[in-house]
Structures are given as C-alpha cells and as structure tokens.
Amino acid sequence: MRAIRVLERSVADRIAAGEVIERPASAVKELIENSLDAGARSVSVEVEGAGLRRIRVTDDGEGIPAEEVPRAFERFATSKIATVEDLGAIRTYGFRGEALPSIAAVARVTLTTRARDAGQATRIEVAGGVVESLGPHGAPPGTTVEVTRLFYNTPARMKFLKSPIRELALIAEVVQRMAMARHDVSFRLWVDGREAGRWPAASAIERVADLLGAGSAEALLPLEGIVPGGRAEGWLARPERTRPTRAGQYLFVNRRPVQSSLLRRAVEQGYAQLLPVGRFPIFAVFLEVDPGTVDVNMHPRKLDVRFADEGRMFGAVAHLTREALVGSPLVRRVTETMAPVPAALGGAASSPPGPFVLEAHEPSGRYERDAARRLPALRPLGQLLDTYILAEGPDGLYLIDQHAAHERVLYERLLAARRQGGVASQGLAVPLALEVTPAEMATVAGHLDHLATLGFAVELFGSRTLLLRAVPAPGRGAADALLHRAIAAIADERAGDDALERLTIATACHTAIRAGDRLGPDAVAALLADLAATEDPFTCFHGRPTIVAVTRADLERWFLRR
Ligand code: ADP
Ligand code: MG
C-alpha cells in the first residue's frame, strides 16, 4: 500500500458526500473493509451491546507504519487513491479516507497496529475527534480497531436506531455479506463474548451455499457468462425455494456487496413467471468487471454502483439468470412433469402443458387461495419416494406433497387453537435446560406471551439458560430444536408478518411430517382426510402447492388415445 495522504481538495470535492456512519452496522462494515483492503486473511468481529458498547475488529493484514498512524484519522486521508484518475478505477473497498475520522467523531476509538516489518505496534486513542494518546505498544502484526460508546455524543442519532435485536441482526448481515464477498478470507463473529458465527476460508460455492442456507451446493443452480466489461458468476436457488422478502438476495460487483436495484431487477426478471406471486428469489450473483466501467463513488456508504452501460448490463444479467434457470435439467424436469390442478378445481382453464413441453410455465395463478375450494373425494393409493402421497380422484391421479400438506393441516389447527385461547401443551418428562445466546435470550424475554399462546412453557433461568417445560402438542422431533427454530422465527423480522404468525408457521413447519418419512396406509388416509378438512387445501403457507394432478385428459393425450 502507499503511504496515507490527505487527498487534494480537487479530489476530495468529488467524493459523494453524506453520512458514513448511521448505525453500528455501518461502522462494522467500514472496519471490515479496511481489514480486507490491508490484505487480511482472517478477520474477527466482536460486538457488545448491539455494537453501541463495543465493536472490535481484528485482522492480520499489513498494518500501518508508526509514523502514519495519526494521519489515518484525518478527514480525506487515505493510502488507497491519490488522483482524480484513481477515482475512475477503484480496486479497493475504501477510497475516501472518511471512515476512521467519521467513527472517531462519534465514539472513542483505540487503534493498535503493527506493520509486518515493524518491531513493535503503535496504539492511538481518539475520542470525539481528539487524539488522547499515541505511543508504542506490544501487539502482533496486523490491526485491531476498538470502538466504544458509539454515538455517545450524538443523542439524535441514537434515537434513530432500531431495537438492539434488530441492530444486532444488521451487524450479522454485514458480516455475512462481507463473508460472502470474500470466501477466501476467514471470518469470525462474537456477540457479547460468545461466538455467533465462524466461516473458515472456503471455496466460493461452499461459502455461498452455507450463507444462503441452501444446505448443499447441489441445491443451487450455477449462473455464468459474459456481461459488459467482464463476467458474471453466481448461484441461484431453485424457483420452488423463495422468501416473502428480499432478504435472501446477495449482489456483488468486484467483490463489493451492493444493493443495486438495477441488478436485483435484472435477476428477478430472469426468474419472472417462475415464482409464486409475492415471493422473492434467493440468489448470490458476483460481477467481475473492469473497474473503469463501474462507478462506486455514487453512494455515501458505497452501497450502490453505476455501470457505464446500464441497459446492456440489465439485459445481460437477466438473460444469464434465465439461462441458468430454464437451461437447468433440474428445473426442466419439474416443468416437464408438473401438471396443474384441473380447471374444475380452480386451475387454469387453458390447456395445460403436456409432459414434454420444455418452456417454463406460470405456476402462480393456479394455486390462488380460495376458501370455497374443497378437495374432491380422494382414494389413497400409496406413497411415492417417501415424500408424495398418490391418490385417485374423480378425474385422474393426484400427487400430494406430504410435508406441505401436513404443514397446512397443522397450521390451521394452530390458528384455531390460538383463537380458542391457546394451543395445548405437552409437558416434558424432564425440563430441558438450553444454553442460548444473549440475542436469543432477549427474543424470548420479549415474547414469552406469544410462546405461551403457542403452547411453549419457557422460563428464563439465569442470564444464558432457558428452562423448557412444555412444547406445543402434538410435539414431534427434538424439543430443543423446535424451540431454537421458534426463537429464530420470532427474531426474523425480515420474514414479514407479525411475531405470533411467524411463530405459528415455524411451529407447524417444524412439527410436520417431513419429506422422507415413510407413512403406512392409515397415516396416508388420515393425512388426506385432514387435508380435505382444511380451509385452503391447495397451498402451504410458503406459497408452494400441496397438490398437483394428472387428469384423464392428460393421460389420454400422453398415450395418444385421442
Ligand atoms: P479509506 O479506507 O477510505 O482509505 P479510512 O478512514 O477507512 O479510509 O482509513 C484511513 C486509512 O487508514 C486507510 O487508507 C489505511 O491506510 C489505514 N487503515 C485503516 N484501517 C486499516 C487496517 N485495518 N489495516 C491497515 N491499514 C488501515
Ligand atoms: Mg476505509
């Protein structure tokens, strides 16, 4: 790296102005970016009190030479660019020399740094923009920046912050986005003294699969190809897996996480018509383009970028997405064989695609909620692949997703029980003591009433332990896993709906029969009867269909009987 210098006025004037540090997560982001710009192989982030009490970021990067340390806190002082031309082709995360002074203006900052070839480290303390101490210090190579009492002198800023749980979630999201941007670097996140996340250096696909919650890389469809000025690479969740919000969408330009609405709309256009209404796709897309073709200096917090040719970039990304989805054998198999619910049951009136039609068709309209719709009488035939129930109906073969169907059954039962004052509990023979994180503890403490309504009997037992005495009846699976899932659902404000609704959905989902569960004839018959008794037997609450049909007409057409 070059020496740290204050940018000339003419360069500084071109830097997009605006507030850099608006919440703890912005400080975390700036500090991680500095570590990555310093070539760190490993970055550790520790936060306390949702980042307001303390943020500490430690790296093993190249450090800052002792004599340059005070300059790092001057406004527009940076080692990363020098001229206006540099501003036109930025290759580092930072470039404006604003982060450290902005943080030091609203907090107390202690920076300890040792350049790789230096005999000892240097430590500087800055509070409210004033240097309080500076001198040699014992520390290994690399840099640690500790920020305490963030916003202590700006009460107005403090008022705009969200709840501690939410601010903590935003910090975790920043760490995850940076971890996805740099799979080659190992990251650790500590929250109030406990490890909350650890991502050892990994391949891109491993990191992406981990952070998208995809389970395994095979569940993702690869995207690859040329875009204006460079290449795109990415992984897309299949259109059957969606979210009610855009929280599962990750976009990167030259390894910088961005919230580009252009790119987001392009990817969503690629998914168009493959998604149920009101659901959003899950993906991670990385563009590597010539830095001269992208302007990262348009947003004060560097969240968005502008491309030299926005129209062509949009078209290229939409096209690559479409290709990845429709060209994939996995999706083709789904669209080849998926048969719609017949028109008599509210399905699309137009002639359904035959089994060998390859173009993607629109699943959404056919499964619209309609409380008046009822299942026809179904005669159980058996189970297929331990996942689907086969049944004969008045006009052909029906395939029912056993998990989706059971989720629907349980969900409606929980709703009914809620209306009648609460869900029945099932006591545990031995109360279960569960270690939880401080964030989980806070979530539970704030929603004990909701948990009780759903049939959980939970007590706070010390500062880190919960005592679980009962779970919703009928309980299924491990009680501790169910409670963790329930807590995660309450805390996941991004998932939409209110906390009680999220809790109900999570409980139904967790306790439902799973794909892979073998069911005997009685269980199959019982599930069909239960499904028939629901208000809305055709969809699970994730928007997926519970049931598809192969009609007599389909069969006749496939066997060329007509
Ligand atoms: P910018 O990143 O835009 O240059 P900052 O205010 O974030 O501005 O940092 C100022 C300078 O301090 C950087 O240019 C860099 O030289 C130095 N610096 C900050 N953090 C680190 C770090 N973790 N390791 C090495 N150098 C750092
Ligand atoms: Mg920086």
Side-chain angles (χ1 to χ4, degrees):
M1 233 190 265
R2 294 182 260 213
I4 304 178
R5 273 187 210 193
V6 176
L7 291 173
E8 278 171 28
R9 185 64 200 270
S10 59
V11 187
D13 280 349
R14 294 209 177 205
I15 286 185
E19 194 176 15
V20 180
I21 305 301
E22 65 162 2
R23 56 176 7 107
S26 1
V28 170
K29 171 174 175 284
E30 293 292 339
L31 296 177
I32 296 176
E33 289 187 351
N34 280 346
S35 295
L36 295 173
D37 281 341
R41 308 309 310 157
S42 120
V43 178
S44 155
V45 179
E46 297 157 77
V47 296
E48 286 172 26
L52 293 172
R53 197 171 334 124
R54 188 187 311 278
I55 297 169
R56 191 192 289 126
V57 175
T58 304
D59 67 54
D60 58 356
E62 66 187 28
I64 308 174
E67 66 279 8
E68 293 177 27
V69 168
R71 221 175 294 146
F73 287 87
E74 282 177 42
R75 191 125 195 260
F76 300 126
T78 179
S79 57
K80 300 169 193 174
I81 65 163
T83 64
V84 171
E85 288 74 58
D86 293 340
L87 213 43
I90 289 162
R91 291 162 206 279
T92 46
Y93 289 108
F95 54 88
R96 8 177 104 138
E98 281 200 291
L100 289 181
S102 303
I103 298 171
V106 293
R108 162 177 291 277
V109 179
T110 307
L111 179 147
T112 311
T113 187
R114 181 168 151 197
R116 274 178 194 147
D117 48 6
Q120 62 181 348
T122 305
R123 167 168 282 188
I124 185 170
E125 276 180 278
V126 187
V130 180
V131 177
E132 298 205 324
S133 76
L134 171 68
H137 196 83
T143 303
T144 297
V145 182
E146 182 169 274
V147 178
T148 50
R149 299 186 61 206
L150 186 60
F151 301 134
Y152 77 100
N153 55 358
T154 52
R157 173 39 65 209
M158 199 78 112
K159 279 205 201 91
F160 281 101
L161 298 182
K162 303 192 167 139
S163 69
I165 295 176
R166 187 77 190 121
E167 292 296 336
L168 196 55
L170 290 169
I171 289 172
E173 193 175 315
V174 159
V175 177
Q176 290 178 14
R177 282 186 194 266
M178 297 308 300
M180 186 138 18
R182 291 296 304 272
H183 59 86
D184 53 325
V185 173
S186 92
F187 288 85
R188 285 175 92 166
L189 172 63
W190 299 78
V191 175
D192 295 328
R194 292 165 63 100
E195 189 176 64
R198 176 205 290 249
W199 298 274
S203 69
I205 174 69
E206 279 168 346
R207 185 67 64 86
V208 166
D210 178 7
L211 286 167
L212 285 186
S216 71
E218 291 81 64
L220 296 170
L221 305 173
L223 167 156
E224 216 190 332
I226 308 259
V227 296
R231 297 190 59 75
E233 180 182 34
W235 289 274
L236 313 174
R238 296 171 37 156
E240 300 90 281
R241 235 191 106 220
T242 57
R243 290 190 69 141
T245 68
R246 297 199 159 93
Q249 308 190 343
Y250 294 82
L251 290 164
F252 304 87
V253 175
N254 294 348
R255 300 184 140 200
R256 181 190 301 279
V258 293
Q259 292 173 356
S260 158
S261 70
L262 176 99
L263 294 178
R264 171 173 62 65
R265 282 184 288 112
V267 176
E268 287 184 354
Q269 167 141 328
Y271 269 95
Q273 316 220 310
L274 292 169
L275 300 173
V277 176
R279 304 291 303 186
F280 297 96
I282 300 167
F283 55 80
V285 174
F286 301 79
L287 303 190
E288 286 299 326
V289 296
D290 174 352
T293 67
V294 50
D295 179 10
V296 299
N297 180 31
M298 64 172 278
H299 186 284
R301 287 184 297 284
K302 302 169 286 188
L303 294 177
D304 200 358
V305 294
R306 194 183 292 125
F307 297 102
D309 191 338
E310 302 246 285
R312 276 181 61 220
M313 184 58 88
F314 181 93
V317 170
H319 172 75
L320 290 176
T321 305
R322 194 69 179 174
E323 251 186 2
L325 292 170
V326 178
S328 121
L330 288 169
V331 169
R332 193 177 295 154
R333 212 156 63 220
V334 168
T335 54
E336 272 167 31
T337 56
M338 192 156 90
V341 171
L345 293 172
S350 62
S351 160
F356 304 112
V357 172
L358 294 188
E359 84 261 22
H361 62 267
E362 193 173 6
S364 49
R366 288 189 196 104
Y367 308 109
E368 266 165 34
R369 279 159 182 263
D370 178 354
R373 278 158 52 192
R374 287 281 174 267
L375 276 190
L378 293 176
R379 181 171 69 86
L381 300 175
Q383 202 190 12
L384 179 69
L385 302 171
D386 288 345
T387 301
Y388 306 100
I389 289 171
L390 300 178
E392 184 186 353
D395 190 44
L397 174 69
Y398 288 72
L399 291 110
I400 293 112
D401 179 316
Q402 65 193 34
H403 175 69
H406 199 216
E407 263 182 351
R408 164 56 59 186
V409 169
L410 294 180
Y411 173 68
E412 291 198 8
R413 275 192 198 150
L414 291 172
L415 278 190
R418 254 169 56 182
R419 279 196 292 270
Q420 283 153 24
V423 174
S425 280
Q426 172 181 312
L428 301 177
V430 182
L432 201 60
L434 284 173
E435 277 258 316
V436 289
T437 65
E440 288 178 318
M441 186 59 100
T443 304
V444 169
H447 293 91
L448 283 169
D449 50 339
H450 287 157
L451 285 160
T453 303
L454 258 276
F456 291 91
V458 190
E459 285 165 30
L460 310 184
F461 189 74
S463 65
R464 297 262 154 104
T465 311
L466 292 175
L467 212 54
L468 181 60
R469 295 190 180 276
V471 290
R476 189 176 174 284
D480 55 342
L482 172 58
L483 183 63
H484 277 297
R485 172 104 183 236
I487 297 170
I490 296 174
D492 186 8
E493 292 171 26
R494 299 175 299 183
D497 296 327
D498 63 18
L500 185 57
E501 183 66 9
R502 293 196 299 272
L503 182 59
T504 308
I505 288 175
T507 303
C509 185
H510 192 85
T511 49
I513 292 168
R514 310 239 157 96
D517 288 351
R518 168 109 4 129
L519 303 179
D522 291 349
V524 167
L527 180 53
L528 282 183
D530 288 344
L531 182 64
T534 60
E535 294 276 316
D536 183 359
F538 292 98
T539 48
C540 84
F541 40 72
H542 299 300
R544 293 198 310 263
T546 56
I547 180 162
V548 298
V550 178
T551 62
R552 184 192 299 271
D554 292 331
L555 293 168
E556 285 174 350
R557 202 149 26 80
W558 298 349
F559 289 107
L560 303 178
R561 284 174 154 271
R562 280 203 303 198

